[in-house]
Amino acid sequence: MKNSGILSGAVPPIDPTGRVHLVFCVGDCADARAAATAWAVQALATGRVATVVPAATTAEVAQFVRRARAGSRVLIAGPRREAMAAAAASRVAGALPCETTTYITAVQGISLFCPHCGETHDVDAEPGAVVACGSCGLDLEIRSHLSGHHGTYLGAVA
């Protein structure tokens, strides 16, 4: 799939080789709804199946992906924090990175993993910033390393 990955900017096109497109709109965002609509229209125009799940939760994403067949594509649109959590849920449920497109509609906030206590917290900061862990209080530098499997950025002891 040529457009797999984490993308922002213009709405990426669907992978026309996918037989079924699972389209998830997360974070209740107008831009995410527009992307989901565009993907569904593209899929139907190419004679493919599109299943659209508006206001999807991570549990719903995982449920749909677990039931998916070979040839399915997962398309997720929404704000970074919610979209990354949904992408992580799809990976845990069995979707491959090459089958998944994550379209980021807004970049406010991230999920941060603390390697000291093993907890994940939402923070309003960007990679390079130093923040205190919400559990253990340790100062963490937010690394630019993004775990697609966990949907979090990695904190390092500052």
Side-chain angles (χ1 to χ4, degrees), residues 5-142:
I6 302 163
L7 307 163
S8 60
V11 177
I14 66 164
D15 175 2
T17 65
R19 290 187 275 154
V20 174
H21 293 82
L22 301 174
V23 179
F24 300 99
C25 181
V26 297
D28 193 31
C29 154
D31 290 338
R33 289 189 297 275
T37 300
W39 288 333
V41 167
Q42 288 176 42
L44 296 173
T46 59
R48 304 299 190 194
V49 174
T51 300
V52 180
V53 183
T57 65
T58 55
E60 289 172 318
V61 171
Q63 180 183 15
F64 276 89
V65 170
R66 275 194 297 275
R67 292 187 290 184
R69 302 272 191 247
S72 296
R73 300 294 183 260
V74 178
L75 298 115
I76 300 165
R80 177 170 53 188
R81 193 179 329 205
E82 293 87 347
M84 292 308 305
S90 74
R91 294 270 305 267
V92 170
L96 299 173
C98 63
E99 299 169 328
T100 307
T101 297
T102 306
Y103 176 60
I104 305 300
T105 59
V107 295
Q108 294 80 13
I110 61 169
S111 292
L112 178 65
F113 175 77
C114 176
H116 180 257
C117 68
E119 296 293 320
T120 298
H121 298 282
D122 292 337
V123 297
D124 288 324
E126 295 294 321
V130 175
V131 298
C133 174
S135 289
C136 66
L138 192 66
D139 282 340
L140 300 172
E141 178 184 353
I142 303 171

